[in-house]
Amino acid sequence: MAPRHAQSPARKSLTRRGKAVSGLALTTLVGTALWAWPASGDDHNSHPDAKHGTPTTTSRPDGAAEAADPEAAAAFRPIPGLSDAARKQIPAGTRQVLVVTGQGVNATSSAVILYTRAKGSQNWRPGPTWAAHNAAHGWTKDHRYGDLRSPEGVYALTDAGGRLAAPRGTRLPYDHNNSFVAHGTGVEGEPLAGAFDYVIAINYNRVAGSSPLDARRPLGASKGGGVWLHVDHDGPTQGCVSLKPAVMKELLRTLDPAQHPVIVMGPPGH
């Protein structure tokens, strides 16, 4: 330890006047500090002090100090894993986003999560994660008829239907139609019976506001179509995304046209 510097007798002895002045200065300093401490916790840009756990402040462009507000920070929680380009394609009025993330560009398995937010909030809250299948050859940014790949992108979800009656509480327009029948077998030879019991149309190359059975293709027949969410048949699809029957029924009860639901789908990083 370094030696202390000796103090002169004059330094040790303070006059009464000097003590009074020192006390006044200390009182003024403490009073100033208390006056400067922000009375409001309404601060959106500050960060916790790492040592003491107390709020620090940052300056706004107008020079005023702001205090920390964890609740305000939590109000800006974006959907994780999406690129900026994908986020920009989500309409401003959308409050339900179904995210389908493939396990790889050529993988046939996916994870599906429905994110929701309250009106006026940017705090996106995730629901449970569901297992799903996508197309037999994975994903593509340039889907073509018969390529056995699911189209990547952001698409609205506006219409539904199925061979079975709509589950109680279904909100999307629903076409209950016996024509929702999957013929033959799947890509891996599995039976397709019941695959179209419940269907939600993905608005890729289709006319919104019509039955999923509508065969019109605005981008032309070569770009494929009929890309749906439908009941899983325990195998990869030709381009759709398939989920277990209970999940399809839950989505039909949850997706609400008033909240402008969309689907964001593709492999990780895309």
Side-chain angles (χ1 to χ4, degrees), residues 32 38 67-68 137 139-140 144 173 176-177 194 211 219 248 250:
T32 301
H137 292 171
W139 299 90
T140 181
R144 300 284 172 173
H176 180 202
N177 196 312
S211 167
L219 302 178
M248 286 298 301
E250 182 171 348

Side-chain angles (χ1 to χ4, degrees), residues 92-188:
T94 290
R95 291 190 284 130
Q96 294 179 322
V97 175
L98 193 67
V99 177
V100 181
T101 306
Q103 294 183 359
V105 174
N106 299 316
T108 64
S109 297
S110 304
V112 179
I113 302 176
L114 178 63
Y115 287 86
T116 59
R117 67 180 178 90
K119 190 173 183 179
S121 170
Q122 292 302 317
N123 180 11
W124 288 97
R125 297 182 179 275
T129 300
W130 299 306
H133 282 105
N134 52 271
H137 292 171
W139 299 90
T140 181
K141 293 181 179 179
D142 184 21
H143 179 63
R144 300 284 172 173
Y145 177 79
D147 65 5
L148 295 181
R149 290 185 178 273
S150 297
E152 302 174 26
V154 180
Y155 308 102
L157 301 172
T158 59
D159 305 282
R163 187 181 64 85
L164 300 181
R168 184 182 297 274
T170 295
R171 303 183 182 188
L172 292 173
Y174 191 94
D175 179 18
H176 180 202
N177 196 312
N178 288 331
S179 295
F180 283 100
V181 178
H183 299 285
T185 58
V187 176
E188 295 181 345

Side-chain angles (χ1 to χ4, degrees), residues 25-139:
L26 180 59
T27 302
T28 303
L29 177 60
V30 172
T32 301
L34 290 174
W35 175 84
W37 189 260
S40 170
D42 189 17
D43 174 6
H44 308 289
N45 297 314
S46 64
H47 305 282
D49 185 298
K51 288 185 178 179
H52 307 294
T54 57
T56 60
T57 61
T58 58
S59 295
R60 299 195 308 239
D62 60 6
E66 296 179 325
D69 188 347
E71 290 185 4
F76 296 91
R77 186 177 296 145
I79 298 173
L82 301 189
S83 66
D84 288 339
R87 288 193 177 99
K88 289 177 180 177
Q89 291 182 61
I90 298 174
T94 290
R95 291 190 284 130
Q96 294 179 322
V97 175
L98 193 67
V99 177
V100 181
T101 306
Q103 294 183 359
V105 174
N106 299 316
T108 64
S109 297
S110 304
V112 179
I113 302 176
L114 178 63
Y115 287 86
T116 59
R117 67 180 178 90
K119 190 173 183 179
S121 170
Q122 292 302 317
N123 180 11
W124 288 97
R125 297 182 179 275
T129 300
W130 299 306
H133 282 105
N134 52 271
H137 292 171
W139 299 90

